[in-house]
């Protein structure tokens, strides 16, 4: 049971403040990428983390040891006071995100747990395991309320709908006769679990019948159709109607496809997002933007409404996880070389750090020291003040971000008025497009268009690259935001 390893229940932590780190400086102002950091990123060297106090001496991370094997996935709850971790073992662990205390474990699976998802109200949790089951847990008590048997297909990942009326499960194929698929279930409520029955929708990934003539090339292509990650898109005007949200499916082959969760029909054609498996999908606070990571050594920023690609962050190693800061213009990402290639590689050589990039300019701002092996999962707390990572070393690293982190992107380049003007126009265009009031807006004119976003981006890049007359940049910025 949950309380076996701790005297406090999960409910007692819900809604707690940040704790001893709560005095850290809050964010102020808009951000701009550091010229020195950009130069470092361009040369392939790590950004100067020590300059911003992002060393272990300043962060004082908590290294949480609750697993014997590699971490597969971790996530904060919606309130930010709980952190759940899964690993290549049957046990799931719940932590206090404010103290690092292990609150309890969830026992029942007999295989590696690939993925978990806490419900929006933090009362329930779904888990997907290689033992071919999905389990539904009561968070506070640790009681398993229901088991979905997918035998013999391993469960790959799970996802609650934002309103908790449904949840989705991705199941891998098994052998030649059972193909990978995504199943959508109607959730009857915690008090009516006996009514949880067969899936209301089944989305088949690729062919549904055995092809006796299938060769190795065809089989490889079929395997690329397997779902690797799931996420729910909110109902948004112009993409899904007011009554229908969308189920976003990331695949082994790097595509993103949106389905109607009621019928299983495609709401749009697949987007060829990456050249390799999509490893993670994370949204911003109001779900108007999301980021994806991939083994193709890239992270991408997307507009939720249009699935338009807004920014590409190219790195030098595979990325297993990513997140968007809810309070700073930052995209955070982590990964490293494949686990099978890790032997005695040093952490810096293996690229096991967490990287921080500016969401506007794309430059790498800094890196946070990481694990002694590949980082498999990353999440940022809802208040943006702490960061959790899980790696092949079996540790969950809980970082309480120091004041230096909140200064990232507010550096010497803002002394150049041309860069400052262009940057603010860029941020204004982004704020209008995504309707995000947390981004700064300095012009009182009509909403910017996507063309304005692109024009502001170009103005910023030009201003950052050379000395440009301030008046000319201001004129370009005004045109971009009109």
């Amino acid at each position: 049971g949950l309380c076996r390893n701790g005297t406090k229940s999960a409910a007692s932590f819900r809604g707690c403040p940040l704790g001893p780190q709560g005095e850290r400086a809050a964010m102020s102002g808009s951000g701009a990428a550091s010229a020195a950091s950009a130069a470092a990123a361009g040369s392939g060297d790590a950004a100067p983390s020590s300059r911003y106090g992002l060393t272990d001496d300043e962060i004082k991370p908590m290294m949480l040891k609750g697993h014997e094997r590699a971490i597969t996935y971790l996530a904060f709850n919606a309130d930010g006071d709980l952190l759940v971790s899964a690993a290549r073992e049957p046990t799931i662990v719940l932590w206090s995100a404010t103290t690092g205390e292990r609150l309890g474990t969830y026992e029942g699976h007999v295989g590696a747990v690939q993925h978990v998802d806490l419900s929006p109200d933090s009362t329930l949790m779904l888990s997907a395991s290689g033992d071919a089951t999905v389990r539904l847990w009561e968070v506070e008590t640790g009681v398993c309320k229901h088991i979905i048997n997918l035998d013999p297909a391993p469960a790959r990942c799970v996802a609650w709908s934002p309103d908790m009326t449904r949840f989705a499960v991705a199941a891998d194929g098994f052998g030649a006769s059972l193909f990978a698929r995504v199943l959508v279930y109607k959730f009857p409520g915690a008090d009516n679990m006996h009514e949880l029955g067969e899936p209301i929708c089944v989305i088949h990934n690729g062919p549904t019948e055995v092809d006796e003539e299938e060769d190795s090339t065809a089989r490889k292509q079929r395997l690329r159709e397997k779902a690797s990650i799931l996420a729910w898109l909110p109902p948004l005007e112009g993409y899904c109607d007011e009554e229908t949200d969308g189920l976003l499916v990331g695949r082994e082959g790097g595509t993103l496809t949106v389905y109607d969760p009621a019928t299983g029909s495609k709401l749009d054609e697949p987007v060829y997002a990456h050249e390799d498996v999509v490893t993670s999908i994370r949204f911003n606070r109001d779900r108007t933007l999301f980021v994806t990571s991939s083994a193709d050594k890239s992270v991408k920023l997307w507009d939720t409404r249009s699935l338009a690609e807004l920014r590409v962050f190219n790195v030098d190693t595979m990325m297993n996880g990513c997140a968007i800061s809810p309070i700073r213009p930052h995209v955070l990402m982590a990964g490293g070389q494949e686990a099978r290639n890790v032997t005695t590689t040093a952490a810096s050589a293996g690229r096991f750090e967490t990287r921080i990039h500016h969401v506007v300019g794309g430059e790498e701002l800094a890196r946070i020291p990481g694990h002694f092996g590949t980082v498999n999962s990353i999440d940022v707390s809802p208040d943006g003040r702490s960061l959790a990572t899980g790696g092949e070393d079996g540790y969950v690293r809980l970082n309480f971000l120091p004041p230096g982190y909140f200064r990232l992107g507010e550096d010497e380049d803002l002394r150049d008025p041309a860069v400052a003007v262009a940057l603010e126009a860029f941020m204004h265009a982004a704020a209008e497009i995504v309707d995000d009031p947390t981004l700064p807006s300095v012009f009182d004119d009509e909403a910017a268009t996507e063309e304005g976003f692109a024009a502001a981006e170009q103005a910023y890049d030009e201003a950052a690259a050379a000395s440009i007359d301030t008046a000319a940049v201001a004129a370009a910025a005004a045109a971009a935001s009109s």
Side-chain angles (χ1 to χ4, degrees), residues 14-16 75-84 97 117-124 162 164 285 287 326 379-384:
R14 203 161 295 129
C16 284
F76 289 95
N77 69 330
D79 294 324
D81 58 327
L82 301 175
L83 176 69
V84 63
D117 192 29
L118 288 163
S119 63
D121 65 359
S122 303
T123 61
L124 299 168
M164 282 186 65
R285 181 164 47 193
R287 302 178 74 83
D379 197 16
V380 178
S381 64
D383 67 1

Side-chain angles (χ1 to χ4, degrees), residues 30-391:
S30 61
S34 161
S37 298
S43 67
D45 297 328
S49 300
S50 59
R51 176 182 179 186
Y52 301 96
L54 299 185
T55 63
D56 277 353
D57 289 339
E58 292 291 332
I59 297 174
K60 296 180 174 60
M62 292 183 180
M63 302 298 289
L64 310 181
K65 185 63 173 176
H67 299 279
E68 297 298 323
R69 297 187 178 181
I71 305 299
T72 54
Y73 193 79
L74 54 75
F76 289 95
N77 69 330
D79 294 324
D81 58 327
L82 301 175
L83 176 69
V84 63
S85 61
R88 294 195 186 103
E89 62 186 32
T91 302
I92 304 167
V93 179
L94 187 74
W95 311 89
S96 166
T98 59
T99 67
E101 177 187 2
R102 187 170 72 168
L103 301 179
T105 60
Y106 300 84
E107 308 282 353
H109 284 295
V110 294
V113 180
Q114 303 293 341
H115 195 264
V116 292
D117 192 29
L118 288 163
S119 63
D121 65 359
S122 303
T123 61
L124 299 168
M125 178 177 65
L126 290 164
S127 60
S129 173
D131 64 8
T133 67
V134 169
R135 289 179 177 252
L136 199 156
W137 309 85
E138 191 172 63
V139 171
E140 186 170 351
T141 65
V143 173
C144 180
K145 305 290 289 185
H146 191 79
I147 301 175
I148 297 175
N149 192 347
L150 303 172
D151 189 44
R156 181 69 172 271
C157 57
V158 287
W160 284 101
S161 66
D163 60 4
M164 282 186 65
T165 60
R166 294 147 298 163
F167 61 86
V169 175
D172 284 344
F174 187 85
S177 59
L178 185 61
F179 294 92
R181 62 206 190 278
V182 174
L183 306 101
V184 180
Y185 291 85
K186 181 179 179 180
F187 180 61
D191 297 330
N192 301 298
M193 296 299 296
H194 60 280
E195 297 179 11
L196 182 56
E198 295 299 313
I200 60 174
C201 174
V202 178
I203 301 169
H204 293 281
N205 302 332
T208 58
E209 297 181 359
V210 177
D211 182 1
E212 300 295 341
E213 304 296 326
E214 182 183 62
D215 57 20
S216 59
T217 301
R219 174 177 171 77
K220 182 177 180 180
Q221 180 59 39
R222 173 165 61 83
L223 293 177
R224 286 173 62 84
E225 295 297 318
K226 291 198 304 183
S228 56
I229 193 71
L230 303 173
W232 290 80
L233 299 177
L236 294 169
E237 184 179 355
Y239 190 73
C240 306
D241 63 44
E242 294 182 358
E243 302 298 327
T244 305
D245 47 13
L247 181 62
L248 181 63
V249 179
R251 301 190 186 281
E252 290 276 349
T255 60
L256 296 172
T257 309
V258 182
Y259 292 90
D260 183 338
T263 65
S265 60
K266 293 180 183 178
L267 293 176
D268 209 340
E269 290 302 310
V271 175
Y272 292 88
H274 293 279
E275 296 179 1
D276 208 329
V277 56
V278 181
T279 54
S280 179
I281 298 174
R282 299 277 193 183
F283 288 89
N284 67 338
R285 181 164 47 193
D286 60 6
R287 302 178 74 83
T288 55
L289 297 170
F290 67 91
V291 284
T292 59
S293 59
S294 173
D296 68 358
K297 302 181 180 181
S298 75
V299 169
K300 294 187 177 184
L301 177 70
W302 304 86
D303 174 44
T304 302
R305 284 181 286 190
S306 64
L307 284 192
E309 180 185 295
L310 300 179
R311 171 68 67 190
V312 181
F313 307 92
N314 290 310
V315 294
D316 56 0
T317 190
M318 62 184 293
M319 289 288 104
N320 293 328
C322 55
I324 304 176
S325 169
I327 61 173
R328 298 295 294 136
H330 298 160
V331 172
L332 300 95
M333 59 195 75
Q337 65 191 80
E338 290 189 68
R340 64 171 178 262
N341 297 328
V342 177
T343 52
T344 57
T345 305
S348 58
R351 305 177 182 89
F352 306 140
E353 310 99 333
T354 296
R355 302 160 187 244
I356 305 169
H357 285 249
H358 199 288
V359 72
V360 179
E363 295 91 339
E364 181 180 313
L365 300 175
R367 298 186 187 183
I368 296 176
H371 296 255
F372 296 101
T374 306
V375 182
N376 292 331
S377 187
I378 179 174
D379 197 16
V380 178
S381 64
D383 67 1
R385 296 182 176 278
S386 55
L387 165 74
T389 55

Side-chain angles (χ1 to χ4, degrees), residues 421-422 424-426 428-429 442-449 452 455-456 459 470-482:
V421 169
E424 294 214 31
F426 188 107
H428 169 70
V442 295
F443 298 99
D444 295 322
D445 51 14
E446 296 181 359
T449 62
T470 303
V473 175
S481 58
S482 65

